[in-house]
Amino acid sequence: MATAEELKLVARKAIESSRQELFELSDAIWKKPELLYEEFAAHDLLTAFLEKKGFSVERSYTGIKTAFRATYGSGRPNVCVISEYDALPEIGHACGHNLIAEAGVAAGLGLKAALSAAGAAGLKKGRVTVLGTPAEEGGGGKIRLIDNGAFQDVDVAMMIHPSTFMCLYPGYLSVEELDVTYTGKASHAAAFPWEGINALDAVVCAYNSISVLRQQMRPSWRVHGVVVEGGVKANIIPERALFNCMVRAPNRAELKQLREKVMACFQSAAQATGCEVQVKQVSAAYENLLTNKRLAKCYGDNLAQLGVDVNWSESPTGHGATDMGNVSHVVPSIHPKYPIGSGKEFPHSKPFAGVANVQESHSTTLVFASGMACAGVDMLVDAKILEEMHAEFLANKALF
């Protein structure tokens, strides 16, 4: 009978034997960056690869054109590993989603091999799911998948994210993105300014009000934005102005508090300038990340066995956001960070995009992906680990 350690060795060998193919997969995604919900080339590339490797593949999963699900095995537990593959405007894969795609596929290959070996040895089988989730960068692809029932039969969900450092327990904030449109009245700015109502003034007023608000904001709260539209010509009083704003807080309750304060800034600016204001939520709110500590420990233990110097310290509340946070409110989840580059290339920058496609980063990604596969083996063979993860998950959910 195959032991857990023997199955982990099978998983690692499967990943290692596919090293060059995985590099080519990630490289192709990196070279053709695609924005949220436009990841057609990445979708086709990943699904074709997984199908070739023996997975049962569902393209355009749950009606989302660039989402997919690839499964192998049957029954429960169902261990889900997640691939992202959308890029950023102008700076490409500056968040390293090509590596996240590679990591999810690699872990899936490892778990598939372990499941096959377990079945041949007569052990109880489970299932591995590689879930392709588009539009993390503002489109809430995972939220749509949750709403469409994609996680109903999933027991745990894992993904990893390249960064400047390693962290098993990263903090991610809840966030809402808002489009704020002010409508005024156009007039000649020199000849008849008194006939106009200046929408740009309303945006400036709102922006300054938020800046004043910061003195009373909690240290973990964040508000930031850009003026997207502010008029068409200097001698025309702007009739329309658009402000794109993001509001972040450690959890949903605090996000609600902060949002109310920011909304007061928007409304007072409209009143002060005589403009009308319309506030539209761009996409569904991203939830804070609930890292499942039992799952994170399982993952960290396996990384240590692979020779990784694991950072076991818990991160203070982070300042970024991810729709993986929403997944963590539905099933036990982890979203660890792992280091690539020199530590001086930061996510969402051109230098980070550069290090996201060097050989060393691919090699590091496969080590941390192997950790996911090995953690998945532990869950497949030890029901107690899953029970502990789910008990913790339910306890955490009760707090929110």
Side-chain angles (χ1 to χ4, degrees), residues 17-211:
S17 67
S18 299
R19 170 181 290 271
Q20 184 59 33
E21 291 176 288
L22 290 164
F23 169 81
E24 292 170 359
L25 195 68
S26 179
D27 178 64
I29 294 170
W30 186 89
K31 287 178 176 175
K32 189 176 176 61
E34 299 168 298
L35 303 183
L36 67 170
Y37 294 120
E38 296 176 358
E39 314 95 330
F40 296 105
H43 168 275
D44 293 348
L45 189 68
L46 291 164
T47 53
F49 180 82
L50 287 162
E51 197 167 56
K52 183 181 73 172
K53 292 295 183 178
F55 284 82
S56 175
V57 174
E58 296 169 82
R59 293 170 170 82
S60 299
Y61 185 51
T62 75
I64 302 172
K65 289 184 178 179
T66 53
F68 68 84
R69 181 172 75 166
T71 58
Y72 178 82
S74 60
R76 308 291 279 269
N78 181 6
V79 178
C80 177
V81 288
I82 288 175
S83 289
E84 295 176 353
Y85 33 88
D86 59 321
L88 289 160
E90 298 184 8
I91 53 177
H93 279 290
C95 205
H97 289 193
N98 60 303
L99 296 174
I100 298 174
E102 179 181 9
V105 171
L109 290 178
L111 275 169
K112 176 182 177 292
L115 278 168
S116 179
L123 295 178
K124 178 184 175 182
K125 297 184 69 175
R127 188 168 20 142
V128 57
T129 294
V130 181
L131 191 64
T133 63
E136 189 278 334
E137 296 290 354
K142 295 181 191 65
I143 301 171
R144 289 181 62 187
L145 284 163
I146 290 168
D147 292 342
N148 293 348
F151 290 90
Q152 286 181 355
D153 64 347
V154 167
D155 291 289
V156 296
M158 297 184 285
M159 66 169 285
I160 57 175
H161 200 301
S163 185
T164 55
F165 58 92
M166 182 196 172
C167 183
L168 280 178
Y169 309 98
Y172 284 92
L173 300 176
S174 298
V175 63
E176 283 190 18
E177 183 177 0
L178 306 170
D179 275 343
V180 186
T181 304
Y182 288 98
T183 304
K185 180 183 176 184
S187 181
H188 196 291
F192 304 100
W194 54 86
E195 293 293 335
I197 299 174
N198 196 317
L200 179 58
D201 280 350
V203 168
V204 172
C205 186
Y207 189 94
N208 288 336
S209 295
I210 291 169
S211 295

Side-chain angles (χ1 to χ4, degrees), residues 19 127 132 134 146 221 224 228 312 335 343 398:
R19 170 181 290 271
R127 188 168 20 142
I146 290 168
W221 290 359
H224 42 97
V228 178
W312 293 99
H335 185 286

Side-chain angles (χ1 to χ4, degrees), residues 361-375:
S361 296
H362 291 288
S363 297
T364 302
T365 296
L366 293 188
V367 172
F368 283 82
S370 295
M372 282 199 292
C374 291

